[in-house]
Short mmCIF file of all heavy atoms in Angstrom, two decimals:
data_model
loop_
_atom_site.label_atom_id
_atom_site.label_comp_id
_atom_site.label_asym_id
_atom_site.label_seq_id
_atom_site.Cartn_x
_atom_site.Cartn_y
_atom_site.Cartn_z
N TYR A 19 10.39 -27.59 -19.56
CA TYR A 19 9.07 -27.10 -19.93
C TYR A 19 8.01 -27.54 -18.92
O TYR A 19 8.21 -28.45 -18.12
CB TYR A 19 8.69 -27.61 -21.33
CG TYR A 19 8.60 -29.13 -21.42
CD1 TYR A 19 7.45 -29.81 -21.06
CD2 TYR A 19 9.69 -29.89 -21.85
CE1 TYR A 19 7.36 -31.18 -21.13
CE2 TYR A 19 9.62 -31.27 -21.93
CZ TYR A 19 8.45 -31.91 -21.59
OH TYR A 19 8.38 -33.27 -21.66
N ASP A 20 6.87 -26.86 -18.97
CA ASP A 20 5.70 -27.29 -18.19
C ASP A 20 4.44 -26.84 -18.93
O ASP A 20 4.51 -26.26 -20.01
CB ASP A 20 5.74 -26.76 -16.75
CG ASP A 20 5.72 -25.23 -16.67
OD1 ASP A 20 5.45 -24.56 -17.68
OD2 ASP A 20 5.97 -24.70 -15.56
N LYS A 21 3.29 -27.12 -18.35
CA LYS A 21 2.02 -26.77 -18.99
C LYS A 21 1.92 -25.27 -19.25
O LYS A 21 1.45 -24.84 -20.32
CB LYS A 21 0.85 -27.19 -18.10
CG LYS A 21 0.65 -28.69 -17.93
CD LYS A 21 -0.50 -28.91 -16.96
CE LYS A 21 -0.76 -30.37 -16.67
NZ LYS A 21 -1.82 -30.54 -15.64
N ALA A 22 2.33 -24.46 -18.27
CA ALA A 22 2.18 -23.01 -18.39
C ALA A 22 2.98 -22.47 -19.56
O ALA A 22 2.49 -21.65 -20.35
CB ALA A 22 2.59 -22.33 -17.09
N MET A 23 4.23 -22.90 -19.69
CA MET A 23 5.08 -22.42 -20.78
C MET A 23 4.46 -22.76 -22.14
O MET A 23 4.43 -21.92 -23.05
CB MET A 23 6.47 -23.04 -20.67
CG MET A 23 7.29 -22.56 -19.49
SD MET A 23 8.84 -23.48 -19.30
CE MET A 23 9.60 -23.19 -20.89
N THR A 24 3.97 -23.97 -22.28
CA THR A 24 3.39 -24.38 -23.55
C THR A 24 2.10 -23.63 -23.85
O THR A 24 1.85 -23.24 -24.99
CB THR A 24 3.16 -25.90 -23.56
OG1 THR A 24 4.41 -26.56 -23.32
CG2 THR A 24 2.60 -26.37 -24.89
N CYS A 25 1.28 -23.41 -22.82
CA CYS A 25 0.04 -22.66 -23.03
C CYS A 25 0.32 -21.22 -23.44
O CYS A 25 -0.35 -20.66 -24.32
CB CYS A 25 -0.81 -22.67 -21.76
SG CYS A 25 -1.60 -24.25 -21.42
N MET A 26 1.31 -20.59 -22.81
CA MET A 26 1.64 -19.22 -23.19
C MET A 26 2.16 -19.15 -24.62
O MET A 26 1.84 -18.22 -25.36
CB MET A 26 2.67 -18.65 -22.22
CG MET A 26 2.20 -18.49 -20.77
SD MET A 26 0.77 -17.40 -20.58
CE MET A 26 -0.57 -18.60 -20.38
N SER A 27 2.94 -20.15 -25.04
CA SER A 27 3.40 -20.21 -26.43
C SER A 27 2.22 -20.38 -27.38
O SER A 27 2.19 -19.77 -28.46
CB SER A 27 4.37 -21.38 -26.62
OG SER A 27 5.55 -21.18 -25.89
N PHE A 28 1.24 -21.18 -26.98
CA PHE A 28 0.05 -21.38 -27.81
C PHE A 28 -0.71 -20.07 -27.99
O PHE A 28 -1.17 -19.75 -29.09
CB PHE A 28 -0.85 -22.44 -27.17
CG PHE A 28 -2.09 -22.74 -27.95
CD1 PHE A 28 -2.07 -23.68 -28.96
CD2 PHE A 28 -3.28 -22.08 -27.68
CE1 PHE A 28 -3.22 -23.97 -29.70
CE2 PHE A 28 -4.43 -22.36 -28.41
CZ PHE A 28 -4.40 -23.30 -29.42
N VAL A 29 -0.86 -19.31 -26.91
CA VAL A 29 -1.57 -18.03 -26.99
C VAL A 29 -0.86 -17.10 -27.98
O VAL A 29 -1.50 -16.47 -28.83
CB VAL A 29 -1.68 -17.37 -25.60
CG1 VAL A 29 -2.22 -15.94 -25.72
CG2 VAL A 29 -2.59 -18.19 -24.69
N ARG A 30 0.46 -17.03 -27.88
CA ARG A 30 1.21 -16.13 -28.75
C ARG A 30 1.24 -16.61 -30.20
O ARG A 30 0.96 -15.84 -31.13
CB ARG A 30 2.66 -16.00 -28.25
CG ARG A 30 2.84 -15.18 -26.99
CD ARG A 30 4.32 -14.91 -26.75
NE ARG A 30 5.09 -16.15 -26.62
CZ ARG A 30 5.31 -16.77 -25.46
NH1 ARG A 30 4.82 -16.27 -24.33
NH2 ARG A 30 6.02 -17.88 -25.42
N GLU A 31 1.57 -17.89 -30.40
CA GLU A 31 1.88 -18.38 -31.74
C GLU A 31 0.67 -18.88 -32.52
O GLU A 31 0.65 -18.80 -33.75
CB GLU A 31 2.92 -19.49 -31.63
CG GLU A 31 4.24 -19.02 -31.03
CD GLU A 31 5.18 -20.16 -30.69
OE1 GLU A 31 4.93 -21.29 -31.18
OE2 GLU A 31 6.15 -19.95 -29.94
N VAL A 32 -0.33 -19.41 -31.83
CA VAL A 32 -1.51 -19.95 -32.52
C VAL A 32 -2.68 -18.98 -32.46
O VAL A 32 -3.31 -18.67 -33.48
CB VAL A 32 -1.90 -21.32 -31.94
CG1 VAL A 32 -3.14 -21.86 -32.66
CG2 VAL A 32 -0.75 -22.31 -32.07
N LEU A 33 -2.98 -18.47 -31.27
CA LEU A 33 -4.09 -17.52 -31.14
C LEU A 33 -3.68 -16.11 -31.55
O LEU A 33 -4.54 -15.26 -31.78
CB LEU A 33 -4.61 -17.52 -29.70
CG LEU A 33 -5.17 -18.85 -29.17
CD1 LEU A 33 -5.69 -18.67 -27.75
CD2 LEU A 33 -6.27 -19.39 -30.08
N GLY A 34 -2.36 -15.86 -31.61
CA GLY A 34 -1.89 -14.54 -32.01
C GLY A 34 -2.27 -13.45 -31.05
O GLY A 34 -2.59 -12.32 -31.45
N ASP A 35 -2.21 -13.74 -29.76
CA ASP A 35 -2.67 -12.79 -28.75
C ASP A 35 -1.60 -12.61 -27.68
O ASP A 35 -0.60 -13.33 -27.63
CB ASP A 35 -3.97 -13.28 -28.13
CG ASP A 35 -4.89 -12.15 -27.71
OD1 ASP A 35 -4.41 -11.01 -27.54
OD2 ASP A 35 -6.10 -12.41 -27.53
N ASP A 36 -1.84 -11.67 -26.80
CA ASP A 36 -0.94 -11.36 -25.70
C ASP A 36 -1.29 -12.25 -24.50
O ASP A 36 -2.42 -12.16 -24.00
CB ASP A 36 -1.07 -9.89 -25.32
CG ASP A 36 -0.19 -9.48 -24.15
OD1 ASP A 36 0.57 -10.33 -23.64
OD2 ASP A 36 -0.28 -8.31 -23.73
N PRO A 37 -0.37 -13.09 -24.04
CA PRO A 37 -0.69 -13.96 -22.89
C PRO A 37 -1.08 -13.20 -21.63
O PRO A 37 -1.74 -13.76 -20.76
CB PRO A 37 0.62 -14.73 -22.67
CG PRO A 37 1.33 -14.67 -23.97
CD PRO A 37 0.97 -13.33 -24.56
N GLU A 38 -0.70 -11.94 -21.52
CA GLU A 38 -1.01 -11.18 -20.32
C GLU A 38 -2.36 -10.48 -20.39
O GLU A 38 -2.80 -9.85 -19.42
CB GLU A 38 0.09 -10.16 -20.05
CG GLU A 38 1.44 -10.80 -19.74
CD GLU A 38 2.49 -9.79 -19.36
OE1 GLU A 38 2.16 -8.58 -19.25
OE2 GLU A 38 3.65 -10.20 -19.15
N SER A 39 -3.02 -10.57 -21.53
CA SER A 39 -4.34 -9.94 -21.63
C SER A 39 -5.37 -10.78 -20.88
O SER A 39 -5.19 -11.98 -20.68
CB SER A 39 -4.76 -9.81 -23.10
OG SER A 39 -5.19 -11.06 -23.61
N GLN A 40 -6.46 -10.14 -20.48
CA GLN A 40 -7.50 -10.85 -19.74
C GLN A 40 -8.54 -11.45 -20.68
O GLN A 40 -9.73 -11.49 -20.38
CB GLN A 40 -8.15 -9.91 -18.72
CG GLN A 40 -7.20 -9.49 -17.62
CD GLN A 40 -7.91 -9.12 -16.34
OE1 GLN A 40 -9.14 -9.06 -16.24
NE2 GLN A 40 -7.14 -8.86 -15.30
N ARG A 41 -8.05 -11.95 -21.82
CA ARG A 41 -8.92 -12.62 -22.79
C ARG A 41 -8.77 -14.13 -22.72
O ARG A 41 -9.37 -14.86 -23.51
CB ARG A 41 -8.58 -12.14 -24.20
CG ARG A 41 -9.03 -10.73 -24.49
CD ARG A 41 -8.36 -10.12 -25.70
NE ARG A 41 -8.32 -10.98 -26.87
CZ ARG A 41 -9.34 -11.17 -27.71
NH1 ARG A 41 -10.51 -10.58 -27.47
NH2 ARG A 41 -9.21 -11.95 -28.76
N HIS A 42 -7.99 -14.59 -21.74
CA HIS A 42 -7.72 -16.01 -21.61
C HIS A 42 -7.87 -16.43 -20.16
O HIS A 42 -7.38 -15.76 -19.26
CB HIS A 42 -6.31 -16.33 -22.11
CG HIS A 42 -5.98 -15.63 -23.39
ND1 HIS A 42 -6.49 -16.00 -24.59
CD2 HIS A 42 -5.21 -14.54 -23.63
CE1 HIS A 42 -6.06 -15.19 -25.53
NE2 HIS A 42 -5.28 -14.28 -24.97
N MET A 43 -8.52 -17.56 -19.93
CA MET A 43 -8.81 -18.03 -18.58
C MET A 43 -8.36 -19.48 -18.45
O MET A 43 -8.47 -20.26 -19.41
CB MET A 43 -10.30 -17.91 -18.30
CG MET A 43 -10.77 -18.41 -16.94
SD MET A 43 -12.59 -18.36 -16.80
CE MET A 43 -12.89 -16.60 -16.80
N PHE A 44 -7.88 -19.83 -17.26
CA PHE A 44 -7.57 -21.23 -16.97
C PHE A 44 -8.40 -21.71 -15.79
O PHE A 44 -8.57 -20.98 -14.80
CB PHE A 44 -6.09 -21.42 -16.64
CG PHE A 44 -5.77 -22.82 -16.18
CD1 PHE A 44 -5.73 -23.86 -17.09
CD2 PHE A 44 -5.58 -23.10 -14.84
CE1 PHE A 44 -5.49 -25.17 -16.67
CE2 PHE A 44 -5.34 -24.41 -14.40
CZ PHE A 44 -5.29 -25.44 -15.34
N VAL A 45 -8.89 -22.95 -15.87
CA VAL A 45 -9.61 -23.56 -14.76
C VAL A 45 -8.99 -24.92 -14.45
O VAL A 45 -8.73 -25.72 -15.35
CB VAL A 45 -11.13 -23.69 -15.06
CG1 VAL A 45 -11.39 -24.43 -16.36
CG2 VAL A 45 -11.86 -24.36 -13.91
N GLY A 46 -8.72 -25.18 -13.16
CA GLY A 46 -8.10 -26.43 -12.75
C GLY A 46 -8.48 -26.82 -11.34
O GLY A 46 -9.37 -26.21 -10.73
N ASP A 47 -7.77 -27.83 -10.80
CA ASP A 47 -8.22 -28.37 -9.52
C ASP A 47 -7.12 -28.84 -8.58
O ASP A 47 -7.42 -29.22 -7.44
CB ASP A 47 -9.12 -29.60 -9.79
CG ASP A 47 -8.31 -30.81 -10.20
OD1 ASP A 47 -7.80 -30.84 -11.32
OD2 ASP A 47 -8.15 -31.74 -9.38
N SER A 48 -5.84 -28.87 -9.00
CA SER A 48 -4.85 -29.55 -8.17
C SER A 48 -3.52 -28.79 -8.12
O SER A 48 -3.31 -27.83 -8.87
CB SER A 48 -4.62 -30.97 -8.67
OG SER A 48 -3.94 -30.96 -9.91
N PRO A 49 -2.59 -29.22 -7.24
CA PRO A 49 -1.32 -28.49 -7.09
C PRO A 49 -0.51 -28.39 -8.37
O PRO A 49 0.22 -27.42 -8.57
CB PRO A 49 -0.58 -29.32 -6.03
CG PRO A 49 -1.64 -29.98 -5.23
CD PRO A 49 -2.74 -30.28 -6.22
N ASN A 50 -0.60 -29.39 -9.26
CA ASN A 50 0.19 -29.29 -10.49
C ASN A 50 -0.36 -28.25 -11.45
O ASN A 50 0.26 -27.96 -12.47
CB ASN A 50 0.33 -30.66 -11.17
CG ASN A 50 -0.94 -31.12 -11.83
OD1 ASN A 50 -2.04 -30.82 -11.39
ND2 ASN A 50 -0.81 -31.88 -12.91
N ASP A 51 -1.50 -27.66 -11.11
CA ASP A 51 -2.05 -26.56 -11.90
C ASP A 51 -1.54 -25.20 -11.42
O ASP A 51 -1.85 -24.17 -12.04
CB ASP A 51 -3.58 -26.56 -11.84
CG ASP A 51 -4.20 -27.77 -12.52
OD1 ASP A 51 -3.63 -28.22 -13.54
OD2 ASP A 51 -5.22 -28.28 -12.03
N GLU A 52 -0.78 -25.17 -10.35
CA GLU A 52 -0.35 -23.89 -9.78
C GLU A 52 0.42 -23.01 -10.77
O GLU A 52 0.18 -21.79 -10.81
CB GLU A 52 0.47 -24.11 -8.51
CG GLU A 52 0.79 -22.81 -7.79
CD GLU A 52 1.36 -23.03 -6.39
OE1 GLU A 52 1.57 -24.19 -5.99
OE2 GLU A 52 1.56 -22.02 -5.69
N PRO A 53 1.33 -23.55 -11.59
CA PRO A 53 1.99 -22.67 -12.57
C PRO A 53 1.02 -21.99 -13.52
O PRO A 53 1.24 -20.87 -13.96
CB PRO A 53 2.92 -23.63 -13.32
CG PRO A 53 3.18 -24.74 -12.36
CD PRO A 53 1.89 -24.91 -11.61
N LEU A 54 -0.09 -22.65 -13.81
CA LEU A 54 -1.10 -22.07 -14.68
C LEU A 54 -1.93 -21.03 -13.94
O LEU A 54 -2.30 -20.00 -14.52
CB LEU A 54 -1.99 -23.19 -15.23
CG LEU A 54 -1.28 -24.12 -16.20
CD1 LEU A 54 -1.87 -25.51 -16.15
CD2 LEU A 54 -1.33 -23.59 -17.62
N PHE A 55 -2.24 -21.28 -12.66
CA PHE A 55 -2.93 -20.27 -11.88
C PHE A 55 -2.10 -18.99 -11.80
O PHE A 55 -2.63 -17.88 -11.80
CB PHE A 55 -3.21 -20.77 -10.46
CG PHE A 55 -4.18 -21.91 -10.38
CD1 PHE A 55 -3.99 -22.95 -9.46
CD2 PHE A 55 -5.29 -21.98 -11.20
CE1 PHE A 55 -4.88 -24.00 -9.36
CE2 PHE A 55 -6.19 -23.04 -11.12
CZ PHE A 55 -5.99 -24.05 -10.19
N GLU A 56 -0.78 -19.16 -11.75
CA GLU A 56 0.12 -18.00 -11.70
C GLU A 56 0.23 -17.32 -13.06
O GLU A 56 0.25 -16.09 -13.15
CB GLU A 56 1.50 -18.43 -11.23
CG GLU A 56 2.50 -17.28 -11.16
CD GLU A 56 3.89 -17.73 -10.77
OE1 GLU A 56 4.16 -18.93 -10.74
OE2 GLU A 56 4.72 -16.83 -10.49
N ALA A 57 0.31 -18.11 -14.13
CA ALA A 57 0.59 -17.55 -15.45
C ALA A 57 -0.60 -16.82 -16.07
O ALA A 57 -0.42 -15.82 -16.76
CB ALA A 57 1.05 -18.67 -16.39
N PHE A 58 -1.80 -17.32 -15.83
CA PHE A 58 -2.97 -16.73 -16.46
C PHE A 58 -3.50 -15.57 -15.64
O PHE A 58 -3.68 -15.68 -14.42
CB PHE A 58 -4.07 -17.78 -16.63
CG PHE A 58 -3.91 -18.65 -17.84
CD1 PHE A 58 -3.04 -19.73 -17.83
CD2 PHE A 58 -4.61 -18.38 -19.01
CE1 PHE A 58 -2.87 -20.52 -18.95
CE2 PHE A 58 -4.46 -19.17 -20.14
CZ PHE A 58 -3.58 -20.24 -20.11
N PRO A 59 -3.79 -14.44 -16.28
CA PRO A 59 -4.34 -13.30 -15.54
C PRO A 59 -5.74 -13.58 -14.99
O PRO A 59 -6.16 -12.94 -14.03
CB PRO A 59 -4.36 -12.17 -16.58
CG PRO A 59 -4.33 -12.87 -17.91
CD PRO A 59 -3.55 -14.13 -17.69
#
């Protein structure tokens, strides 16, 4: 697992939304945020 996988699960299971929709944004600052930069539209 990583941050991106867990965040996408949260969007689907808790927010009840499509992770690929442009209703969700991620903001970060470092290389370990790269999976999230890739996962979030």
Side-chain angles (χ1 to χ4, degrees):
Y19 62 84
D20 62 12
K21 292 177 182 176
M23 291 173 58
T24 302
C25 287
M26 295 301 102
S27 294
F28 181 86
V29 171
R30 287 191 301 269
E31 298 169 15
V32 179
L33 299 182
D35 212 340
D36 178 3
E38 295 185 4
S39 77
Q40 294 206 354
R41 287 163 46 80
H42 316 286
M43 178 185 292
F44 173 75
V45 54
D47 75 288
S48 70
N50 73 328
D51 294 325
E52 187 168 4
L54 292 150
F55 294 142
E56 179 183 11
F58 278 81

